[in-house]
Amino acid sequence: MGTSLRLVTPESGRGIPRQRLETLADIQKKVLWLSSWMIHNANHLRPSRDGLKVGGHQSSCASSVTLLTALYMDVLNPSDRIAVKPHASPVYHALMYLLGRQSRDSMERFRGLGGAQSYPSRTKDTDDVDFSTGSVGLGVGITLFASLVQDYARLHDLMGDGVAPGRLVALMGDAELDEGNIFEALLEGWKHDVRNLWWVIDYNRQSLDGVVNDRLFQKIQSFFDTVGWNVVTLKFGKRLEAARGGPAGEALLQWIDDCPNDLYSALTFKGGAAFRDHLSTELQGTAGLKELLDSHDDPSLHRLLTNLAGHDMESVLEAFHAAADDDRPQCFVAYTIKGHGLPLAGHKDNHAGLMNVEQMEAFRDAMRIPEGAEWDPYAGLDTEPETLRAFLEAVPFADDRVRRHVAPPIAVPESFPIPAGEKLSTQQAFGQILNDIAKESGDLADRIVTTSPDVTVSTNLGGWVNQRGLFSRRERPDVFREEKVASAQKWVRSRDGQHIELGIAENNLFLLLAALGLSHSLYGARLLPVGTLYDPFINRGLDSLFYACYQDARFMAVATPSGVTLAAEGGAHQSINTPLVGMGVDKLAYFEPAFVDELSTIMAWSFRHMQAADGGSVYLRLSTRPLAQPDRVLGERERTNLCNGAYWLRPPAPGADVAIAYTGAVAPEALAAYEQLTEDVPGAGLLAVTAPDRLHSDWMEAGRRRAAGERDVRAHVETLFAPLAPGAALVTVLDGHPATLSWLGAVANCRVSALGVERFGQSSDIPDAYRLHGIDAEAILGAAASACLARLG
Ligand SMILES: Cc1ncc(C[n+]2csc(CCOP(=O)(O)OP(=O)(O)O)c2C)c(N)n1
Ligand SMILES: [Mg+2]
């Protein structure tokens, strides 16, 4: 098992009363039972309609029962926030059931529609999950960023009325340490001096496929040490610690220390006799060995050798309480056994293993639970129901404080002033709009918080940062400025700063946006988070982006430059699939404006959408290509239309035979093709699609409503297409994957020719890039001509 570097000794705690320990031990026993039963019920007792296994992770649950019981039933306060490792979902629900926050019905429907979720879900579960988990590593990572956000809200004096700061806790599997995002987060946490953060590692030394490396804990110790965490190792339980002083005690503990993880696991599975065989041979000649072995029968020897601290309530509580007043980040390495207390214990294949019906019956008998009383919170326990009820009512975590806060929305204007300039890119305009907002006093400017993974300046956030400063717990002057080195950037760091600068790690960006975007609910602090990155690197942080949206976090992700339009920067920096990401992520509205007046309207809409009860997050795909701006003032109808996804830049004549629909930076090419086209086909239309995603989802919804009987419902795009002749020709074009717009052909039975980028590109200027990918004016016109010809016959 490896040598422990820092042990929790019996003296280090605060002396937990025996009675309390006994009650907690009984609760933990009940939680082990309920979590196992919940899974068993779903797999063996609920009728299956699809023949598929329901699944669940009884061994993963058993591994963390003591740790989670200690946290929820003793250590935590309502202001603490916890991410529970995905596969311990039933443990969480069982704990909430005992605290009266989860229903039996929901547990009976575990992994079924409307039941307790497979993995803890902030949005789908009903028992107040703080952070969703499921994609390993991300639930752990968000706790670190949520602690940073808590400090931000606290130091800006934005916490809701009466909302107290708490600890951010992750109960994590040891294999989560294989995920790179953990280490990206650790480094960022060190830079930002995060506080009040606990990561409790359920160190069962098993992952999904097998047993982890023997020396992993040494690496854990040094990683966490390096970034300033306090590491507490919980290895031997009280019984083993007591054995240390008895016959052959030191040798026994040393043997456990030296035992390879896979052998220890195998012997745990096999039982006391197997341990006895190994000890007899491997400790042969050790004084006191016979006395030690003779004083235990096989079950007792097994109990002793598997008495790891992560299953020993007293050891766990002592360690947690000893750290209670220390705000440094704490890493608890709690030695556990996967499947502890179950016949699956220690087996390397136990991750998805389930107890069979006979094993479950034997387990129920051992738990002294009568048939029919499986869901009874009190059955089979030594603690009297009255005592247990009184204990549960006094659990600190379960006082009646509200844990989900509300923060009133901040007023946002209909549109922001439109940046001046004959030729502007959407990226320039974005920076200018924020720069203008930064000059204003008031709530809107004060609640915006920006962040970027080392691309602050290159995404045009420089002006905003110059005015609003960088956030840091420690004041730091801008040394370049003090030394009078000329620079356009003023980077003063202070507690008042409103920009959080990150290192280059897009996972961190989206995890921080997730945490910032939940601050209204977690801390009662209404923030308007804006994160910038290069569009291709959305793919780098994609899982965290999904994760943020899955939790209904609210933020604006501004991605620029994008597509092949970034031209000479090209090659690996070109983004092709990101419009499809924008289309495919739930709770994320994707916009790709071409013109600056569109952008200013969309940004204002976005800040409102981020605060609306039924709103969501926003993804703006912007460009560095300066475009000549139309000479116009958008009316209210046009503004509504463009926020709904599209408007006619050049409306078609009634009965038009052809139209071009474009998105984003290819507007000049679409316009040039359109102008040539109208020489031959005067009634053609030119549709600006500003939000393919919103246009599409509105069209889908209209179809669903019509199918449900609302016959008169028309989607925005259907209304727009009403003037087109039946079967009109349609050319769609964007600097991105053509499938983003090709669906438009199905709206009014148009013969569609979809242009876009499908291949990895190479560096070039814009004319070459557009020609190469067939999205230049000539290609658009050619496609329109062919579509018209095909239509005629
Ligand atoms: C990102 C991601 N990759 C893969 C999986 C599949 N998976 C689920 S659990 C698991 C191993 C978890 O091991 P550990 O974290 O040690 O949990 P425990 O032993 O406590 O069950 C894997 C690979 C996942 N859930 N998420
Ligand atoms: Mg594990």
Side-chain angles (χ1 to χ4, degrees):
M1 286 176 48
T3 310
S4 69
L5 294 160
R6 182 147 161 330
L7 290 181
V8 170
T9 62
E11 299 77 47
S12 60
R14 288 185 173 165
I16 298 117
R18 188 62 30 204
Q19 165 78 49
R20 189 168 179 81
L21 275 177
E22 280 167 12
T23 309
L24 282 164
D26 250 4
I27 294 176
Q28 127 190 337
K29 186 174 155 194
K30 179 56 73 180
V31 172
L32 175 64
W33 164 258
L34 283 172
S35 57
S36 303
W37 179 252
M38 203 183 307
I39 297 167
H40 185 79
N41 177 69
N43 282 276
H44 292 287
L45 304 179
R46 212 166 60 204
S48 166
R49 294 189 304 175
D50 53 15
L52 290 186
K53 153 181 149 170
V54 177
H57 303 85
Q58 289 172 330
S59 299
S60 298
C61 286
S63 182
S64 53
V65 158
T66 313
L67 295 166
L68 282 169
T69 303
L71 285 169
Y72 280 102
M73 294 292 176
D74 183 277
V75 177
L76 298 177
N77 294 308
S79 44
D80 297 329
R81 300 285 172 183
I82 312 95
V84 174
K85 73 171 186 179
H87 303 83
S89 164
V91 176
Y92 176 78
H93 296 304
L95 285 160
M96 292 305 117
Y97 176 60
L98 295 179
L99 292 175
R101 296 176 173 199
Q102 177 58 288
S103 68
R104 170 174 164 178
D105 174 58
S106 176
M107 296 197 303
E108 285 187 276
R109 287 187 293 133
F110 173 58
R111 292 187 164 221
L113 184 66
Q117 297 293 291
S118 317
Y119 307 113
S121 169
R122 185 175 166 82
T123 49
K124 302 282 191 296
D125 274 316
T126 52
D127 49 357
D128 200 12
V129 168
D130 284 325
F131 300 110
S132 302
T133 58
S135 178
V136 301
L138 300 184
V140 182
I142 196 174
T143 58
L144 183 144
F145 291 101
S147 81
L148 177 60
V149 172
Q150 178 173 269
D151 278 347
Y152 182 95
R154 205 168 47 78
L155 296 170
H156 283 78
D157 213 10
L158 293 176
M159 300 281 280
D161 278 349
V163 180
R167 279 167 295 201
L168 279 298
V169 181
L171 182 287
M172 59 192 281
D174 42 9
E176 300 202 57
L177 290 163
D178 287 332
E179 286 289 357
N181 84 274
I182 296 278
F183 300 92
E184 295 174 0
L186 276 176
L187 198 58
E188 203 58 58
W190 170 76
K191 291 185 214 163
H192 288 278
D193 192 21
V194 289
R195 301 273 135 179
N196 300 308
L197 184 60
W198 285 15
W199 285 2
V200 182
I201 304 175
D202 179 348
Y203 193 50
N204 58 29
R205 291 146 289 127
Q206 281 185 249
S207 59
L208 193 160
D209 283 338
V211 179
V212 306
N213 189 287
D214 281 326
R215 280 174 298 281
L216 175 66
F217 77 95
Q218 289 172 341
K219 298 295 163 204
I220 297 174
Q221 174 87 39
S222 61
F223 290 141
F224 283 84
D225 270 350
T226 303
V227 287
W229 287 50
N230 186 42
V231 182
V232 181
T233 303
L234 292 91
K235 181 178 275 190
F236 298 120
K238 294 291 174 188
R239 227 173 299 146
L240 272 173
E241 281 298 344
R244 187 192 286 281
E250 285 295 349
L252 176 72
L253 268 61
Q254 190 60 52
W255 180 86
I256 298 177
D257 255 347
D258 295 341
C259 189
N261 287 340
D262 46 9
L263 178 59
Y264 181 83
S265 290
L267 298 180
T268 299
F269 178 74
K270 287 172 78 177
F275 274 119
R276 188 180 300 276
D277 281 353
H278 272 262
L279 290 171
S280 309
T281 326
E282 287 160 33
L283 293 186
Q284 205 177 24
T286 307
L289 181 65
K290 182 168 173 359
E291 199 186 331
L292 169 72
L293 295 179
D294 287 352
S295 64
H296 293 281
D297 62 10
D298 286 345
S300 155
L301 190 65
H302 187 261
R303 265 197 307 282
L304 176 67
L305 273 120
T306 56
N307 176 235
L308 301 185
H311 297 301
D312 189 298
M313 185 59 77
E314 195 174 357
S315 309
V316 168
L317 290 177
E318 283 172 357
F320 286 159
H321 285 299
D325 300 325
D326 184 349
D327 77 347
R328 278 179 307 165
Q330 307 281 332
C331 170
F332 298 93
V333 186
Y335 278 73
T336 53
I337 291 166
K338 196 154 172 169
H340 184 69
L342 308 181
L344 312 165
H347 197 290
K348 75 181 178 65
D349 306 335
N350 66 7
H351 182 76
L354 298 175
M355 282 187 272
N356 62 29
V357 174
E358 293 73 40
Q359 286 172 319
M360 200 64 198
E361 270 172 18
F363 184 50
R364 180 173 55 204
D365 290 346
M367 288 275 166
R368 296 187 281 129
I369 292 174
E371 230 180 305
E374 289 87 355
W375 300 105
D376 184 333
Y378 308 107
L381 302 182
D382 292 331
T383 311
E384 290 297 321
E386 273 317 298
T387 315
L388 188 54
R389 215 169 282 138
F391 182 97
L392 292 171
E393 274 168 17
V395 164
F397 180 78
D399 78 6
D400 50 10
R401 251 179 287 172
V402 172
R403 299 187 75 251
R404 292 212 175 187
H405 305 292
V406 280
I410 304 298
V412 182
E414 272 303 304
S415 176
F416 295 116
I418 299 159
E422 258 176 44
K423 276 193 135 191
L424 279 176
S425 70
T426 45
Q427 173 175 315
Q428 282 171 318
F430 161 73
Q432 191 58 49
I433 290 169
L434 271 189
N435 192 40
D436 291 344
I437 295 175
K439 290 184 189 135
E440 305 281 324
S441 58
D443 264 353
L444 178 67
D446 291 349
R447 301 305 177 109
I448 290 175
V449 49
T450 58
T451 179
S452 184
D454 204 24
V455 290
T456 298
V457 176
S458 49
T459 55
N460 264 33
L461 273 180
W464 162 268
V465 176
N466 281 350
Q467 296 184 72
R468 293 280 165 166
L470 279 88
F471 172 69
S472 166
R473 283 164 54 91
R474 276 186 236 122
E475 306 273 330
R476 270 179 31 216
D478 180 346
V479 173
F480 282 85
R481 204 159 192 80
E482 292 199 337
E483 294 295 327
K484 300 199 170 29
V485 177
S487 164
Q489 314 304 329
K490 285 187 260 170
W491 280 42
V492 179
R493 290 163 205 264
S494 78
R495 293 177 162 207
D496 302 329
Q498 283 180 248
H499 174 77
I500 302 177
E501 179 69 5
L502 297 173
I504 323 167
E506 284 71 15
N507 268 309
N508 283 345
L509 171 75
F510 287 117
L511 287 178
L512 175 56
L513 286 174
L516 286 165
L518 290 173
S519 63
H520 54 284
S521 177
L522 294 175
Y523 307 123
R526 174 67 65 188
L527 298 176
L528 297 169
V530 178
T532 67
L533 76 165
Y534 292 175
D535 194 55
F537 304 128
I538 283 200
N539 293 314
R540 196 49 111 81
L542 196 51
D543 199 19
S544 302
L545 170 62
F546 273 68
Y547 177 68
C549 293
Y550 174 56
Q551 303 207 66
D552 201 18
R554 303 299 181 83
F555 55 87
M556 183 191 289
V558 180
T560 175
S562 59
V564 298
T565 304
L566 81 173
E569 277 277 319
H573 281 33
Q574 294 176 344
S575 58
I576 298 171
N577 71 322
T578 46
L580 297 178
V581 170
M583 302 278 289
V585 180
D586 189 17
K587 301 288 278 179
L588 184 72
Y590 148 52
F591 288 91
E592 187 163 350
F595 302 116
V596 168
D597 52 0
E598 296 169 352
L599 177 67
S600 72
T601 304
I602 289 166
M603 282 178 69
W605 180 92
S606 301
F607 285 130
R608 288 192 296 277
H609 184 67
M610 285 155 62
Q611 304 184 74
D614 60 350
S617 287
V618 181
Y619 157 39
L620 306 184
R621 188 171 187 254
L622 304 186
S623 168
T624 40
R625 183 183 187 194
L627 297 187
Q629 298 297 311
D631 183 13
R632 64 181 178 183
V633 177
L634 291 173
E636 196 182 322
R637 216 178 104 233
E638 285 156 309
R639 286 208 304 267
T640 306
N641 282 350
L642 77 88
C643 289
N644 286 338
Y647 67 98
W648 287 110
L649 188 70
R650 301 284 184 271
D657 288 320
V658 60
I660 297 171
Y662 74 91
T663 286
V666 294
E669 284 66 29
L671 196 55
Y674 166 83
E675 274 160 8
Q676 283 201 42
L677 182 65
T678 45
E679 288 174 13
D680 298 323
V681 193
L686 179 61
L687 187 73
V689 183
T690 40
D693 169 40
R694 285 179 52 74
L695 204 60
H696 180 256
S697 54
D698 173 63
W699 178 58
M700 296 294 287
E701 176 63 14
R704 279 191 292 268
R705 286 174 61 189
R706 276 199 295 271
E710 291 182 64
R711 288 165 160 235
D712 298 333
V713 170
R714 285 287 164 275
H716 178 48
V717 66
E718 289 167 331
T719 309
L720 287 168
F721 278 5
L724 299 183
L730 180 68
V731 177
T732 63
V733 59
L734 79 158
D735 178 1
H737 198 279
T740 312
L741 295 178
S742 60
W743 61 273
L744 283 170
V747 173
N749 277 329
C750 292
R751 183 181 294 272
V752 72
S753 176
L755 308 182
V757 181
E758 289 174 283
R759 295 195 174 77
F760 290 114
Q762 59 167 74
S763 310
S764 72
D765 62 4
I766 288 184
D768 276 344
Y770 283 12
R771 189 173 37 77
L772 207 62
H773 295 284
I775 55 174
D776 57 357
E778 203 176 316
I780 300 169
L781 188 63
S786 319
C788 287
L789 283 176
R791 181 165 184 264
L792 291 174

